[in-house]
Amino acid sequence: MSDSQSIQASLRSRAAELLASDQVAELIGWGAGRFPDQTTPLFITQADQAEGLVYSEYCQNTLGKYAITELSELVADQGKLAICVRGCESRGINRMLKDNQIERDRLYLLGIPCSGMKNRQSGELLSKCMNCSHKNPVIYDELLGETVAEGEPDRFGAVCALEECDRASREQYFDAAFDRCIRCYACREVCPVCTCRECFVDQHEVGWQGKQGNTTENRFYSLTRAFHISDRCVECGECERACPMGLPLMVLNRKLVKDLDDLFQAGEAGLDAVAVNSLGTYDVADVEEFM
Amino acid sequence: MSVVETNVATTGAMATGANSPAAAESWQPSILAFACHWCTYSGADLAGLNRMEYPANVRLLRVPCSGRVNPQYVLSALGKGADGVLVCGCHPGDCHYVSGNYYAKRRLMAFKRLLEFTGLEPGRFQVRWISGSEAGKFRDTVTRVCEEVRALGPLTTDQRQALADPVLAGAAATTQAGEAQ
């Protein structure tokens, strides 16, 4: 029995126990999709539905963000909300806890160590999983399966490669990328950090975001989105996976993560639920370059 | 926001008109400068009192504090017609609101790097601390930024390209004439 099969078996039995004992009112995991190996997020409330849970190497979706909507619909005394958390999801959960979007005592976290997910068609490791720095969940109530060895991720490889290019080619590269953007806002929808009740792009009366579908407006959206999450990005890579037009969104996010770390020793976001955001504070001894 | 749009729309329209090949030689850069009310704006006032001369390409936009400058303002200005943006505030330690410029510093340092990473010339977005007594520094800064942006030439944006297009520009002119009537 492979690792993921044994995790699937223990996930199903634990889910059934938790739901049957009313400790948990709802559980979020993955279920089978329409196509072979395809999975989709699954929301279950009955113990007998636990057999529908799937855990394989093709569980692409990151589940963390569903906690916000599901918790808002769940009555507090009905029981907790259980979620499967891998490294990426657990950091997103920490981030949402820090942002006061969800409450820890209403969550039951089923930790799953993850060696990376694969594209079901090509069988290759997903790009978001290639440079994962936390394969094991950083916060959980119980762990299913054995912890896996952490790799040596090259988180900033793509950023450094672009930084070495000259300005004109970077401009060309990003213009081509922003030109493709269709502003579907999928990157915002899946992001565990984009939790504003009203996003700036939806403030039509204020008019931050123009209506035209052109490179300038797309650049405005993408750069603002990246900057809004800059010091909080947990690097789950879900924005880039969700993007239907293949924009290099993680390059923008990681550029900011890298700079904030170089300048202000910001470190990685979402490792706990208490750390102060690097742009939400200051130090009088900060580097000075505007004198 | 509406202030930013109005201000930049005016400068942008000027620059756009000058964008056509015939007017290329007479092109003037338009630069939007966000000036903190307590330091830089007073510094600019002092420069005026002292009859100092500086390029008229710079439009000052007074803000309560450099910490008030949302990076979106900068992107908005660059997307809507400004060739360069300058953000000025009190020296670190001198902020009227104690710490506004320290937050602005962190924010704008990261944001400047992001803009340059995605291809903006470094000269087009600059930040400087100018106190209320530094009229000379205000004049020198504004003059230098203006010359740097002038050397870089007009910033290409979709809005400008649309206005430079004879068909689209004609349609816009007709609409405006109709509205005037």
Side-chain angles (χ1 to χ4, degrees):
Chain A
M1 199 190 255
S2 74
D3 284 352
S4 53
Q5 280 172 326
S6 71
I7 289 175
Q8 175 174 294
S10 47
L11 174 61
R12 285 178 178 177
S13 67
R14 280 302 289 148
E17 282 166 30
L18 288 166
L19 287 163
S21 67
D22 281 342
Q23 269 183 283
V24 159
E26 182 182 349
L27 185 138
I28 310 178
W30 301 269
R34 278 193 212 178
F35 304 105
D37 292 333
Q38 191 194 29
T39 64
T40 147
L42 184 71
F43 305 76
I44 59 171
T45 51
Q46 307 296 326
D48 58 6
Q49 295 170 316
E51 284 306 303
L53 287 167
V54 169
Y55 185 76
S56 67
E57 291 166 316
Y58 306 103
C59 294
Q60 298 193 357
N61 297 64
T62 302
L63 305 174
K65 188 147 189 200
Y66 292 114
I68 298 178
T69 44
E70 294 307 305
L71 269 185
S72 70
E73 287 166 10
L74 209 60
V75 181
D77 56 9
Q78 276 181 332
K80 295 187 178 189
L81 173 71
I83 309 183
C84 301
V85 292
R86 297 166 295 194
C88 47
E89 276 127 358
S90 68
R91 291 175 68 192
I93 292 282
N94 264 337
R95 199 51 253 181
M96 288 183 280
L97 289 170
K98 165 75 181 156
D99 291 340
N100 288 324
Q101 297 297 317
I102 50 177
E103 297 142 301
R104 180 67 182 93
D105 55 9
R106 294 184 65 197
L107 290 176
Y108 191 84
L109 305 176
L110 293 158
I112 299 176
C114 163
S115 303
M117 292 293 143
K118 292 176 181 164
N119 181 314
R120 69 180 179 89
Q121 280 157 328
S122 65
E124 286 170 10
L125 197 63
L126 294 179
S127 64
K128 71 168 182 173
C129 299
M130 275 176 193
N131 292 305
C132 172
S133 57
H134 292 270
K135 298 181 174 191
N136 298 296
V138 294
I139 177 176
Y140 54 84
D141 292 309
E142 68 178 89
L143 196 62
L144 307 173
E146 298 294 312
T147 55
V148 294
E150 297 287 355
E152 287 178 11
D154 179 19
R155 290 157 65 209
F156 303 125
V159 177
C160 293
L162 267 167
E163 279 174 341
E164 279 163 24
C165 299
D166 59 24
R167 190 200 62 79
S169 38
R170 281 201 310 271
E171 185 177 32
Q172 207 177 10
Y173 174 78
F174 283 105
D175 272 358
F178 296 141
D179 197 35
R180 290 201 301 278
C181 177
I182 54 172
R183 291 218 305 276
C184 62
Y185 306 133
C187 45
R188 173 194 72 177
E189 294 301 318
V190 294
C191 178
V193 178
C194 278
T195 50
C196 290
R197 297 273 159 88
E198 190 182 16
C199 179
F200 75 98
V201 300
D202 297 328
Q203 294 176 322
H204 300 296
E205 302 249 320
V206 186
W208 282 115
Q209 181 65 60
K211 299 282 194 293
Q212 295 125 312
N214 61 31
T215 314
T216 304
E217 291 295 347
N218 296 346
R219 180 189 289 110
F220 179 83
Y221 167 67
S222 266
L223 294 187
T224 308
R225 184 204 60 84
F227 195 73
H228 278 183
I229 64 164
S230 56
D231 57 342
R232 303 178 296 143
C233 176
V234 295
E235 298 171 57
C236 62
E238 188 70 349
C239 49
E240 199 171 278
R241 186 194 65 79
C243 180
M245 306 308 286
L247 265 67
L249 300 173
M250 278 311 286
V251 174
L252 292 176
N253 297 348
R254 283 206 161 113
K255 165 69 181 166
L256 281 157
V257 169
K258 176 175 177 283
D259 283 346
L260 290 173
D261 194 36
D262 290 349
L263 293 166
F264 314 120
Q265 297 74 49
E268 287 181 276
L271 298 189
D272 59 50
V274 289
V276 178
N277 313 338
S278 56
L279 289 181
T281 183
Y282 68 92
D283 185 344
V284 289
D286 280 342
V287 200
E288 183 55 71
E289 56 185 39
F290 298 148
M291 200 54 85
Chain B
M1 181 59 196
S2 57
V3 182
V4 180
E5 279 188 352
T6 320
N7 202 316
V8 180
T10 325
T11 52
M14 281 174 58
T16 315
N19 230 9
S20 58
E25 281 177 25
S26 63
W27 172 77
Q28 288 289 327
S30 27
I31 293 156
L32 181 63
F34 292 93
C36 135
H37 167 76
W38 304 97
C39 292
T40 313
Y41 202 79
S42 311
D45 233 4
L46 190 62
L49 280 173
N50 288 334
R51 302 279 188 272
M52 289 180 179
E53 285 186 19
Y54 59 86
N57 309 76
V58 177
R59 312 300 157 99
L60 278 187
L61 182 59
R62 185 170 63 163
V63 285
C65 177
S66 51
R68 177 66 184 86
V69 180
N70 187 331
Q72 277 169 252
Y73 293 167
V74 178
L75 265 179
S76 225
L78 292 172
K80 292 184 171 123
D83 299 295
V85 173
L86 175 68
V87 177
C88 301
C90 308
H91 284 247
D94 289 352
C95 180
H96 185 77
Y97 307 102
V98 184
S99 54
N101 54 0
Y102 282 116
Y103 288 107
K105 183 162 91 174
R106 281 202 166 193
R107 211 177 286 155
L108 297 176
M109 274 169 85
F111 193 63
K112 184 166 163 61
R113 284 167 168 74
L114 178 67
L115 288 182
E116 288 167 17
F117 181 65
T118 53
L120 192 80
E121 291 98 340
R124 293 204 194 269
F125 173 50
Q126 303 197 34
V127 187
R128 283 290 175 277
W129 309 131
I130 300 171
S131 84
S133 59
E134 292 177 321
K137 184 178 179 184
F138 174 79
R139 177 199 54 200
D140 296 345
T141 305
V142 160
T143 313
R144 204 185 54 249
V145 169
C146 183
E147 288 321 306
E148 282 178 31
V149 175
R150 193 190 299 279
L152 291 170
L155 181 65
T156 319
T157 65
D158 287 301
Q159 188 210 31
R160 281 190 181 177
Q161 281 173 345
L163 285 165
D165 185 297
V167 179
L168 290 173
T174 317
T175 319
Q176 276 170 4
E179 279 166 7
Q181 285 164 8

